[in-house]
Amino acid sequence: MKSLISLLIVCFFSFTACRKDKTDNTGSNNQPVQLNSYPLAIGNSWKYYTESHIADSTGVNFLNAYYDNYWEVVSDTIINGSVCTKISQLDSNYDGSIHLSHTYYTNKIDGLYGLAVENIGGLFFLKTTDFTAQTQFNFPGPFVNTILATDTVFIPDTSLRLLSFPSNVNDIWLSYEYNKPVPDIIKRKWIAYKTITTSAGTFNCIKLQMFWDRDNNNLPDSGSSEVYQYFSTKGLIQEEWNAALINNGGSIDSFHRITKLVQINF
């Protein structure tokens, strides 16, 4: 298990190239939507369901993990002079282990920012911590408590700009994520409108692509992984992460994680 986790961390920056979703912005069901804020009212809550799978070269899954994810807006506070909102993030693995964290977000005129985090942060790519901690959630078995358990609040030097407002297709921005060892290589881009249906309902969304851009040409680096998120006026509706894992012997396994909204209270 430890070797697989290490392998994923090492290989994350050499994954298969991103594929373009040819169905984006086609058909009558994809309605334009523009976001100007994230729904951070106290009491708002979301429940998600997440699956992670690693398959061998024949397509057979040999590692699987399943989670229920609970988000709830619990309070307003001030961090470094900025008014922000505290969201409780509980990730529950179906093997019985759980991880509770809190992330502090704020809506500004130009986007949604992540200001701080307690206990590493939740499962999704709306974090303020580095990629290594994110990796621990993607495997069956108990969470790695020595990495995930902390009672301190981490405040990054630069707040993460997770979403850009107002949201317009083709807008691109630096999000300041995971800036070790190379700073400022993560960018996000609004790329399409997409109608997403989950068990929670049908939502008009704008699709976001998260990618690595070491050469700063506003294009995904060759071999970068695929991370996509879908947002509506109700918040995050779906997230997808696809990657190829190159083993020491040269064989290639595939990693896939998908998260879908299953319940919302507003």
Side-chain angles (χ1 to χ4, degrees):
M1 181 61 63
K2 290 182 179 179
S3 63
L4 283 170
I5 292 175
S6 299
L7 179 63
L8 180 56
I9 295 171
V10 170
C11 292
F12 185 79
F13 296 102
S14 59
F15 286 159
T16 53
C18 297
R19 300 188 299 269
K20 183 179 180 181
D21 187 345
K22 295 182 180 179
T23 64
D24 288 341
N25 289 343
T26 60
S28 60
N29 290 329
N30 296 328
Q31 301 298 320
V33 59
Q34 188 175 74
L35 307 181
N36 294 287
S37 66
Y38 203 84
L40 297 178
I42 294 176
N44 284 358
S45 66
W46 303 257
K47 179 183 177 182
Y48 299 89
Y49 173 71
T50 299
E51 293 188 4
S52 292
H53 304 284
I54 298 180
D56 61 23
S57 58
T58 67
V60 176
N61 292 336
F62 63 89
L63 271 180
N64 306 284
Y66 307 90
Y67 307 88
D68 287 326
N69 316 98
Y70 302 87
W71 279 38
E72 183 178 1
V73 181
V74 293
S75 65
D76 291 328
T77 188
I78 296 177
I79 292 181
N80 286 347
S82 296
V83 176
C84 58
T85 300
K86 181 179 182 179
I87 292 187
S88 169
Q89 299 163 328
L90 176 67
D91 299 310
S92 176
N93 191 316
Y94 277 39
D95 69 359
S97 56
I98 63 173
H99 176 244
L100 176 63
S101 62
H102 297 91
T103 303
Y104 298 80
Y105 301 98
T106 188
N107 284 310
K108 297 185 180 181
I109 294 177
D110 64 342
L112 174 73
Y113 285 79
L115 271 62
V117 65
E118 292 177 63
N119 207 13
I120 299 303
L123 181 67
F124 313 141
F125 280 98
L126 289 168
K127 300 166 67 69
T128 59
T129 47
D130 65 24
F131 172 73
T132 304
Q134 174 81 41
T135 305
Q136 310 306 322
F137 288 103
N138 296 302
F139 297 89
F143 296 126
V144 184
N145 293 328
T146 56
I147 295 177
L148 296 178
T150 174
D151 58 0
T152 60
V153 176
F154 170 71
I155 304 175
D157 293 336
T158 301
S159 298
L160 276 68
R161 190 183 180 195
L162 301 170
L163 303 181
S164 175
F165 299 144
S167 61
N168 295 299
V169 169
N170 294 322
D171 282 357
I172 187 170
W173 65 96
L174 265 175
S175 51
Y176 302 100
E177 293 168 273
Y178 319 131
N179 56 354
K180 294 183 293 185
V182 182
D184 301 340
I185 62 173
I186 306 298
K187 291 183 179 178
R188 291 178 173 237
K189 182 180 181 180
W190 296 119
I191 62 172
Y193 300 111
K194 190 76 172 176
T195 299
I196 298 293
T197 297
T198 74
S199 59
T202 298
F203 304 88
N204 293 324
C205 297
I206 185 167
K207 181 178 180 180
L208 181 148
Q209 180 186 26
M210 173 181 165
F211 63 92
W212 281 251
D213 184 19
R214 293 187 183 92
D215 56 6
N216 200 33
N217 65 351
N218 286 339
L219 296 172
D221 291 341
S222 177
S224 60
S225 68
E226 301 175 345
V227 179
Y228 296 110
Q229 295 174 318
Y230 301 80
F231 294 91
S232 81
T233 56
K234 298 293 187 178
L236 178 68
I237 304 302
Q238 184 168 301
E239 180 180 276
E240 302 173 28
W241 178 14
N242 296 290
L245 307 179
I246 303 174
N247 298 312
N248 292 334
S251 61
I252 300 177
D253 298 328
S254 61
F255 173 80
H256 175 67
R257 192 183 79 191
I258 186 164
T259 294
K260 293 189 176 186
L261 179 70
V262 297
Q263 186 175 321
I264 191 169
N265 75 340
F266 64 96

